[in-house]
Amino acid sequence: MSTPAVPGGPGLFTGFTKLCKGLAVVLVGGHILVQVFPAVVSYLALIPARTIPFAWNLITAGYVEQTVYGVIVSTVGLLFVGKLLEPIWGSREFLKFIFVVNFITSLCVFITAIALYYITQEESYLYLPVSGFYGILAGFLVGIKQIIPDQELPLLKLRTKWLPSLAVLVSIAVSCWTTGAATYLPTIIFGTYISWIYLRYWQRKPETKLKGDPSDDFAFSSFFPELLRPVIDPVASIFHRLLCGRSESSNDSEDYTAAGAPLPGSDPIEASRRRERGARALEERLAAERLAAARSGQESGRDATENV
């Protein structure tokens, strides 16, 4: 199968799903709300010292962008990446992914802030308002890595499987030069990791009744260069046993059978088929966009001829 090209042309700005448009309205509306009523940040953003009793901010924090730059990046990322992921996963699964990743990421940020306070006794960790869609955007990159890992970005000459790793690396590098890194760096790191856990172990496949993606190409060590994988794999196997109750190095009979029945999430063939479906869906979408662009060009040329 040929590798699909990256979207381009006039069709790039069409085909956004209704769900993504609705979520984009929520992001823009949340930003406008905190600009008009700044006090709302105290109730919607994640402020660890106030999370109890304001526990709802574990959910709302992910949809509140406090800066214009943040709302633009989040809205654009949601619309364009959602246009690829939602048709493949389905609207219900896409929304579930966003909710689960957002909630658990916020919970991890909350626990980290409390731990840092007890370690350093710095009250700033308790009262710094943390919010934004960055964790979910990082999770979207993990979804792209899973579906079309070998797609090459023409501008960067980089395969999409490295996008999550690159995003985390750039975020860490930028955090060394900015003072506001605490508001987004933990969210991006946890968003990347939680989304990988969700897709690796939890995501259900209704058509096969399996869970997760056990393929080697989507292993935790695949986020790192080949040189580091011998070091990463033994550590990752510990968490693998905790999450699914078996070692990464289990033999085929342990992985694929249990009293004659397949174990959930143990079918690498399904993982390969999912990537093929992702590439095929992207090819079909690109073909439709190119056709729409060609028709638009023909109509424009016809109108110009008639006007002359």
Side-chain angles (χ1 to χ4, degrees), residues 146 200 212-220 222 248 265 267-269 271-272 274-275:
Q146 181 197 39
R200 177 75 168 176
D213 182 352
S215 63
D216 292 337
D217 292 337
F218 198 56
F220 184 69
S222 68
E248 187 73 44
D267 189 358
I269 298 178
S272 176
R274 181 165 52 253
R275 286 192 293 272

Side-chain angles (χ1 to χ4, degrees), residues 8-289:
L12 180 66
F13 300 98
T14 61
F16 302 127
T17 66
K18 292 181 179 180
L19 177 58
C20 288
K21 290 178 181 179
L23 291 173
V25 171
V26 172
L27 292 176
V28 174
H31 173 71
I32 295 174
L33 183 64
V34 298
Q35 296 303 312
V36 177
F37 305 103
V40 173
V41 173
S42 301
Y43 298 94
L44 298 181
L46 176 61
I47 303 177
R50 299 177 180 176
T51 298
I52 301 175
F54 299 160
W56 60 77
N57 60 33
L58 293 172
I59 298 175
T60 59
Y63 309 104
V64 176
E65 290 290 353
Q66 301 182 50
T67 65
V68 175
Y69 170 78
V71 74
I72 292 175
V73 171
S74 296
T75 302
V76 172
L78 169 65
L79 291 174
F80 283 91
V81 181
K83 183 168 67 170
L84 170 63
L85 295 181
E86 186 184 341
I88 297 173
W89 289 349
S91 298
R92 182 176 179 179
E93 177 60 34
F94 183 73
L95 186 60
K96 180 182 176 183
F97 173 84
I98 292 175
F99 178 83
V100 172
V101 171
N102 174 61
F103 176 74
I104 300 181
T105 296
S106 296
L107 185 61
C108 291
V109 172
F110 168 74
I111 295 173
T112 301
I114 296 298
L116 289 174
Y117 165 72
Y118 280 109
I119 294 172
T120 65
Q121 295 297 307
E122 289 286 340
E123 291 189 356
S124 59
Y125 290 115
L126 296 179
Y127 294 97
L128 180 67
V130 179
S131 67
F133 205 65
Y134 305 114
I136 300 171
L137 290 180
F140 286 165
L141 296 182
V142 178
I144 292 176
K145 169 185 172 68
Q146 181 197 39
I147 294 173
I148 47 173
D150 295 324
Q151 167 70 45
E152 186 176 274
L153 301 175
L155 296 179
L156 300 177
K157 298 299 181 181
L158 181 75
R159 290 186 177 182
T160 53
K161 67 180 181 180
W162 295 114
L163 284 178
S165 306
L166 180 63
V168 172
L169 184 62
V170 170
S171 300
I172 294 174
V174 171
S175 69
C176 296
W177 303 97
T178 60
T179 57
T183 62
Y184 66 84
L185 182 58
T187 304
I188 291 177
I189 293 176
F190 283 123
T192 300
Y193 186 58
I194 297 303
S195 61
W196 174 78
I197 289 178
Y198 180 87
L199 296 174
R200 177 75 168 176
Y201 300 106
W202 298 341
Q203 188 181 53
R204 293 186 176 274
K205 308 296 183 299
E207 66 276 11
T208 60
K209 297 182 180 180
L210 299 177
K211 289 196 302 182
D213 182 352
S215 63
D216 292 337
D217 292 337
F218 198 56
F220 184 69
S221 59
S222 68
F223 288 81
F224 298 86
E226 291 281 354
L227 182 64
L228 298 177
R229 292 182 185 180
V231 179
I232 300 297
D233 279 330
V235 178
S237 65
I238 298 174
F239 294 95
H240 180 84
R241 286 193 292 269
L242 292 175
L243 287 168
C244 65
R246 66 179 187 275
S247 173
E248 187 73 44
S249 60
S250 298
N251 58 41
D252 291 343
S253 62
E254 291 174 333
D255 277 342
Y256 291 99
T257 62
L263 287 175
S266 60
D267 189 358
I269 298 178
E270 170 59 23
S272 176
R273 290 174 178 171
R274 181 165 52 253
R275 286 192 293 272
E276 291 178 0
R277 287 198 300 271
R280 185 165 57 250
L282 181 58
E283 287 180 339
E284 292 173 354
R285 180 174 292 277
L286 293 176
E289 290 178 350

